Amino acid sequence: MKTVRLFKPSVGKEEIDAIQEVFDISWLGLGEKVAAFEKAWSEYLGCKESVGLNSGTAALHLALASYKFARGKKVLVPALTFVSTAAAPLYCGLDPIFVDVNPDTLQIDPRDLAIKYTPDCVAIMVVHFGGHPAPMPEIMEFARKKELKVIEDCAHTQGGRLHGIPLGLWGDIGCFSFEEKKGMTTGDGGMACSNKSENLELLKPMRWVGIDKDTWKRSQAYTQAGLQDRHWYYEIAELGYKYNMNNLAAAIGLAQLKKLPQFNASKRNAISRYLHNLSKVPGFRPLLPYSLDEHASYWLFGIKTQKRDALIQYLKTNGIATGVHYTPLTMQPLFQNHAESTPQATKVYDEILTLPLHPELTDEEIDYVCAKIQQFGML
Ligand SMILES: *Cc1c(COP(=O)(O)O)cnc(C)c1O
């Protein structure tokens, strides 16, 4: 039987060659490839500075930790997101306060944001859910008025923009994920970005167990006599983590970044083919209000249907992988003490279905998925 994957990293010879280069220089950890990838990523996004990390989760954690908020303060988090967005406040001893989503866009709802806000709140974690831009102008206006830091969780978008401004650069720190299922990959990896270098200053020691200098830079002085007498000396002023990106991941990232515009374009084409095909199915509702301009960088394609669970079974028997992104975090046991009311997220959860989308998805596969949905009947 034909099978269609839900996600698939697109990797090839370029990535293998990049890894070979790292083997040749024989420096596999934090090193010059990481610095090169940070520079290339900053140029791609159009930001001043980026810090390479070993995951998007690490980026979210360090972004929040670097502000050193008093324990017990509150952080506003959308209910419909991956666990890491809400784990970051918990890692810092902060309380996630769940905000409902707009059922049409699945993005954090600015009206509920204002309702859930209390003077104990110190930050907002904004998620560009599925790669669709969150309503940043409203969120930023509210955040500035209330003096809240804004951390953008950009795990679902790499290069998307809103009103010409790259997603990840609206707020204080933008956090990206290069996990294997995301828009481009380094195996595992993440990046924290900002247009203000001071926003990222603490992230550098904090990603490297608190050490204020990079070992690979010091190592160059080990053998350069007279340049620096105490090349081995470093200071630890921060409690840090072992969250650095390594040269192997960065080398893969450099190769992937060259392909990223193609990846985004290929997914835009796939989404427009889906939308065209599915417009013939009675009751068809897209998961997101897709807007496929030249910068659009979507991660999820999907639909909303009241027959979600039956359709999942039907597609499964036809070899088509599907997913549900996500169970609202307010419904998870971990957050039962944080269960604010988010009725829209709970309601829309029963209807959301993620369909296959990745850069190598073929027109035939899309047509096959759509034909099976059409055979299933009304949505
Ligand atoms: C994947 C994801 C993350 C975490 O990224 P990792 O690189 O896997 O740690 C964070 N937030 C969202 C919304 C994600 O989808």
Side-chain angles (χ1 to χ4, degrees):
M1 184 177 50
K2 192 199 276 288
T3 61
V4 186
R5 275 180 70 162
L6 186 58
F7 302 115
K8 181 173 178 285
S10 179
V11 286
K13 182 162 186 318
E14 296 81 0
E15 287 77 8
I16 293 280
D17 291 347
I19 291 169
Q20 182 63 51
E21 242 183 80
V22 174
F23 279 31
D24 292 343
I25 58 172
S26 198
W27 191 288
L28 275 54
L30 177 63
E32 58 195 86
K33 288 288 175 193
V34 176
F37 182 40
E38 287 169 342
K39 187 162 173 283
W41 181 262
S42 297
E43 276 163 22
Y44 170 75
L45 201 67
C47 69
K48 193 102 170 256
E49 189 146 9
S50 302
V51 176
L53 300 161
N54 61 9
S55 72
T57 305
L60 293 165
H61 178 191
L62 290 193
L64 204 50
S66 70
Y67 287 109
K68 302 190 174 182
F69 296 119
R71 295 179 86 81
K73 293 286 184 187
K74 296 176 165 36
V75 177
L76 297 151
V77 179
L80 200 64
T81 183
F82 187 62
V83 60
S84 300
T85 324
L90 290 182
Y91 296 152
C92 301
L94 304 167
D95 233 3
I97 299 296
F98 291 105
V99 179
D100 213 350
V101 298
N102 175 326
D104 299 322
T105 64
L106 304 186
Q107 309 302 317
I108 191 166
D109 179 0
R111 281 174 309 176
D112 200 47
L113 193 66
I115 293 169
K116 297 285 165 62
Y117 170 85
T118 59
D120 268 352
C121 292
V122 289
I124 310 175
M125 313 294 280
V126 181
V127 180
H128 302 291
F129 182 89
H132 192 79
M136 294 313 295
E138 292 97 315
I139 291 167
M140 292 312 297
E141 192 190 326
F142 184 75
R144 293 306 175 227
K145 204 162 64 192
K146 303 291 186 190
E147 295 182 8
L148 300 167
K149 296 294 174 193
V150 175
I151 293 164
E152 286 176 81
D153 181 340
C154 301
H156 295 180
T157 186
Q158 298 81 20
R161 295 185 183 196
L162 178 64
H163 306 318
I165 299 174
L167 302 180
L169 300 181
W170 280 82
D172 296 288
I173 301 179
C175 299
F176 291 83
S177 165
F178 306 125
E179 196 261 352
E180 69 143 11
K181 294 183 289 299
K182 300 295 166 64
M184 62 165 265
T185 188
T186 60
D188 273 306
M191 195 72 91
C193 306
S194 184
N195 259 335
K196 291 197 191 118
S197 298
E198 64 263 30
N199 288 355
L200 301 177
E201 215 165 294
L202 274 183
L203 271 73
K204 288 178 208 166
M206 287 179 93
R207 76 166 169 184
W208 189 239
V209 289
I211 295 174
D212 71 340
K213 285 192 217 167
D214 296 331
T215 305
W216 65 281
K217 281 188 186 147
R218 277 190 290 126
S219 81
Q220 293 162 359
Y222 290 171
T223 49
Q224 290 172 332
L227 279 185
Q228 197 186 6
D229 287 334
R230 304 212 312 160
H231 64 259
W232 44 267
Y233 182 78
Y234 58 75
E235 269 171 21
I236 302 162
E238 293 298 327
L239 173 62
Y241 301 83
K242 188 62 174 61
Y243 277 177
N244 61 283
M245 181 175 275
N246 67 46
N247 266 1
L248 282 170
I252 299 171
L254 281 162
Q256 286 270 292
L257 184 53
K258 293 203 181 97
K259 304 176 181 180
L260 180 55
Q262 281 159 254
F263 291 167
N264 281 333
S266 157
K267 286 186 290 172
R268 287 196 295 270
N269 288 338
I271 291 171
S272 47
R273 193 172 186 96
Y274 265 124
L275 291 173
H276 174 79
N277 288 354
L278 292 175
S279 64
K280 295 166 204 146
V281 181
F284 166 62
R285 287 176 294 152
L287 181 73
L288 298 167
Y290 295 98
S291 163
L292 300 171
D293 65 51
E294 54 170 340
H295 294 294
S297 170
Y298 281 99
W299 181 54
L300 295 180
F301 180 77
I303 62 175
K304 291 179 182 137
T305 167
Q306 286 175 357
K307 299 181 182 165
R308 196 258 319 264
D309 293 344
L311 180 56
I312 288 175
Q313 288 309 317
Y314 183 76
L315 294 177
K316 202 180 269 197
T317 58
N318 286 288
I320 298 164
T322 55
V324 173
H325 295 87
Y326 297 92
T327 304
L329 293 178
T330 38
M331 297 170 74
Q332 295 288 6
L334 175 65
F335 298 107
Q336 56 185 314
N337 299 332
H338 300 261
E340 288 76 39
S341 146
T342 57
Q344 299 296 346
T346 306
K347 190 162 159 237
V348 81
Y349 165 54
D350 285 332
E351 298 197 332
I352 54 180
L353 175 64
T354 306
L355 295 172
L357 184 68
H358 57 78
E360 293 178 18
L361 191 68
T362 64
D363 286 351
E364 291 69 36
E365 287 177 313
I366 296 167
D367 295 350
Y368 174 72
V369 174
C370 294
K372 290 299 163 192
I373 293 173
Q374 208 154 7
Q375 279 171 23
F376 177 77
M378 272 212 346
L379 291 173

